[in-house]
Amino acid sequence: MPIKVQSGLPAKGILENENIFVMDEYRAMHQDIRPLQICILNLMPVKQDTELQLLRVLSNTPLHIDVSFMKMNSHVSLNTPIHHLNRFYNTFNELRNRRFDGLIITGAPVEQIPFEEVDYWPELCEIMEWTKDHVTSTFHICWGAQAGLYYHYGMEKVMLPEKLFGVFEHKVMNRKIPLVRGFDDYFYIPHSRHTAVRSEEIHACSDLTVLAESEEAGVFLCMTEGGKQIFIMGHPEYDRYTLHNEYIRDKEKGLPIKIPKNYYPEDDDTKKPALQWRSHSNDLYSNWLNYYVYQVTPYEL
């Protein structure tokens, strides 16, 4: 799938080396096609890593996508160079008059902080309200999913006894829904979080349909009718070494961290981790773009 990004975005060269078709603004201007307008609200600290991961999984359908990046106006990012943010990102105020076919709200390393104490929480609430009228389908990831469930349905997050960390098995619960079309009965997805939303609360909500769940990690995937809001509790976009890098980082900081489950062969962190979730991750994003964005979005936004 051709992905349109701004010229000079560092992820563009990496993706091209992986034989992924990425075009810049000049080439896109000469194509007679209405691309899907996808916005990524990137709340992660090292934004370049998340850009690369998400662009990689968005590249697996024949659809033409025009990607924009949004940053919070009410938060100063300390782990991404300011010149990168100024060149490739827009604030919500700069984008609020636009309409998007899809919006991705990423996770964020603030899960142990109460929602109302996150410095950009009021702005994020405004964005989530704005999505009701300006976005065809919103895709929430990890903390972004917890924030969405809290804002839209009042579901509180709860602290876990220890960090949920590793690659966990999930079972498809409702395979008639297109979002999980092509999934195996059981599949693996990475998780890395200290909090959760109670599965019983999600199941009890009449507005939500649970599509995949794990005995260890709880509900992984749920959505509203028609896919207007989709909530993903794990990190299907992670690449092979993301959990490894988090594990080494926490060890070096002296934080209490166990070896990620079902990740290293023989639980040996000197061995190459097995990549066992990529195909289902690609299916998930492709199904979202096809069935809940492309098939229902109007030609004229």
Side-chain angles (χ1 to χ4, degrees), residues 30 36 66 69 112 156 159 175 181 185-186 222 230 252 260 281 291:
H30 294 81
L36 295 178
D66 186 348
F69 293 102
Q112 298 184 74
E156 297 278 359
M159 289 294 300
R175 83 170 37 260
R181 185 165 291 171
D185 289 342
Y186 293 88
C222 63
I230 295 172
E252 290 178 347
S281 175
Y291 299 115

Side-chain angles (χ1 to χ4, degrees), residues 111-112 160-168 191-195 238 242-261 263-264 267 269:
E111 56 183 316
Q112 298 184 74
L160 297 172
E162 63 181 22
K163 186 177 184 179
L164 183 72
F165 192 46
V167 183
F168 297 90
H191 289 258
S192 177
R193 50 188 166 87
H194 293 89
T195 58
Y238 273 8
T242 307
L243 290 178
H244 172 77
N245 293 337
E246 291 184 10
Y247 176 60
I248 298 302
R249 177 201 65 195
D250 287 358
K251 281 182 64 177
E252 290 178 347
K253 289 182 177 180
L255 299 175
I257 186 67
K258 292 184 178 179
I259 196 165
K261 288 188 176 182
Y263 183 55
Y264 298 112
D267 285 340
D269 65 6

Side-chain angles (χ1 to χ4, degrees), residues 23 47 83 97 112 143 174 201 254 280 291:
M23 68 173 67
K47 302 194 185 302
H83 64 81
N97 292 325
Q112 298 184 74
W143 181 85
N174 194 331
E201 283 194 54
H280 284 90
Y291 299 115

Side-chain angles (χ1 to χ4, degrees), residues 27-46:
R27 182 167 182 176
M29 286 172 59
H30 294 81
Q31 299 215 340
D32 187 17
I33 189 173
R34 206 287 264 175
L36 295 178
Q37 298 293 324
I38 304 296
C39 185
I40 298 175
L41 173 55
N42 191 349
L43 303 175
M44 294 296 283
V46 183

Side-chain angles (χ1 to χ4, degrees), residues 29 45 55 66 98 105 122 140 157 213 230 285 294:
M29 286 172 59
L55 291 175
D66 186 348
R98 290 182 57 183
I105 301 177
H140 309 71
K157 63 182 178 181
E213 192 166 8
I230 295 172
Y285 280 88
Y294 175 69

